[in-house]
Amino acid sequence: MDKKVELFVPCFIDQLYPDTAFNTIQLLERVGCEVIYNSEQTCCGQPAYNAGFWDEAKDVGANFLKKFTEENYIVAPSASCVGMLKKGYNDLFTNSIEHNRCRNIQRHVYEISDFLVNVIKRDYFGAELVGTAVYHDSCSALRDCGIKEEPRKLLAQVGGLELVEMKGQETCCGFGGTFAVKFEGISAAMAEQKVQNAQAVNADYIISTDASCLLQLQAYIDKHHIPIKTMHLVDVLTSGWANI
């Protein structure tokens, strides 16, 4: 399948989970995509936008629109950033000089699971990961991108992995960007609830398509020495390839 894909690497993944970015490239190349990476890309502007600094977010967003093209697919291992591009940019660029370019780019932006299942039409990649897992529906994936079944279809094909549902499946993990800083107590309690729900079904892994959620949950897990590991969906889908 000859498809050109421009890779968008979100700030969280660039700074804290670089292996996830490299695994995203592996995954896309495995299905025959030509991956293009522009090293001059920067933040999409979501932190400033969520904090109410829309002028600053627009400046950052305008730079994003310059660094990506209107012709190719744009894929990111983050529903949060894709949600910003698809929804937040409507507030920033509607009826602006960048309006048409923004709309064209928005039409080509996909979160990785959405792209693999609905564009490439593939759900099996030969991955293996032994254990029981829960999938955490991030707020951005569920509400901004409408993604729910796609990650589950992909995880159902991972050898050795049993995917189970947990209580409070669609409840926020408590990160919410600056929310975790401004309302630390509430944020920590929400993370605690999410991890306890995962423990209740004896999960070995909490999997998500948003690194920010995983950071939030892993911090709680580490602090309390809980035997659960968080994993990005992409890292799961590229697990066990050496066994093939």
Side-chain angles (χ1 to χ4, degrees), residues 6 38 40-42 58-70 74 89 93 97-98 101-102 105:
E6 296 179 39
N38 183 348
E40 294 184 356
Q41 64 178 264
T42 59
K58 188 173 181 178
D59 288 341
V60 176
N63 182 65
F64 179 95
L65 294 176
K66 290 176 185 175
K67 301 304 180 186
F68 290 86
T69 73
E70 300 174 58
I74 300 168
Y89 275 25
F93 296 109
I97 195 169
E98 297 97 343
R101 182 174 181 83
C102 179
I105 285 178

Side-chain angles (χ1 to χ4, degrees), residues 41-214:
Q41 64 178 264
T42 59
C43 178
C44 63
Q46 183 183 182
Y49 174 82
N50 287 346
F53 296 98
W54 283 21
D55 289 340
E56 290 81 355
K58 188 173 181 178
D59 288 341
V60 176
N63 182 65
F64 179 95
L65 294 176
K66 290 176 185 175
K67 301 304 180 186
F68 290 86
T69 73
E70 300 174 58
E71 294 80 30
N72 301 322
Y73 290 107
I74 300 168
V75 176
S78 168
S80 174
C81 295
V82 170
M84 172 65 188
L85 297 172
K86 285 186 172 292
K87 297 289 183 69
Y89 275 25
N90 289 341
D91 291 325
L92 301 180
F93 296 109
T94 296
N95 296 329
S96 72
I97 195 169
E98 297 97 343
H99 180 99
N100 289 341
R101 182 174 181 83
C102 179
R103 289 292 181 271
N104 287 335
I105 285 178
Q106 284 176 318
R107 279 192 282 270
H108 295 106
V109 173
Y110 287 87
E111 179 272 335
I112 183 71
S113 72
D114 185 18
F115 182 72
L116 292 174
V117 172
N118 297 318
V119 178
I120 300 295
K121 311 290 186 184
R122 284 274 300 274
D123 59 11
Y124 176 69
F125 303 97
E128 292 183 7
L129 183 67
V130 177
T132 301
V134 290
Y135 177 77
H136 163 60
D137 289 289
S138 74
C139 298
S140 297
L142 201 60
R143 296 166 179 84
D144 289 340
C145 301
I147 294 167
K148 184 171 178 67
E149 296 307 319
E150 290 84 354
R152 290 170 169 81
K153 286 182 180 179
L154 295 167
L155 292 171
Q157 298 296 328
V158 176
L161 191 68
E162 181 189 4
L163 189 65
V164 298
E165 296 288 304
M166 61 179 165
K167 182 182 175 184
Q169 188 67 54
E170 299 182 356
T171 303
C172 178
C173 69
F175 180 70
T178 54
F179 176 87
V181 178
K182 292 180 178 179
F183 303 99
E184 182 183 354
I186 299 172
S187 172
M190 293 171 76
E192 176 183 34
Q193 184 180 59
K194 180 67 70 170
V195 173
Q196 286 181 347
N197 288 342
Q199 283 182 285
V201 292
N202 299 312
D204 301 301
Y205 304 99
I206 298 176
I207 300 167
S208 184
T209 187
D210 271 297
S212 51
C213 298
L214 299 176

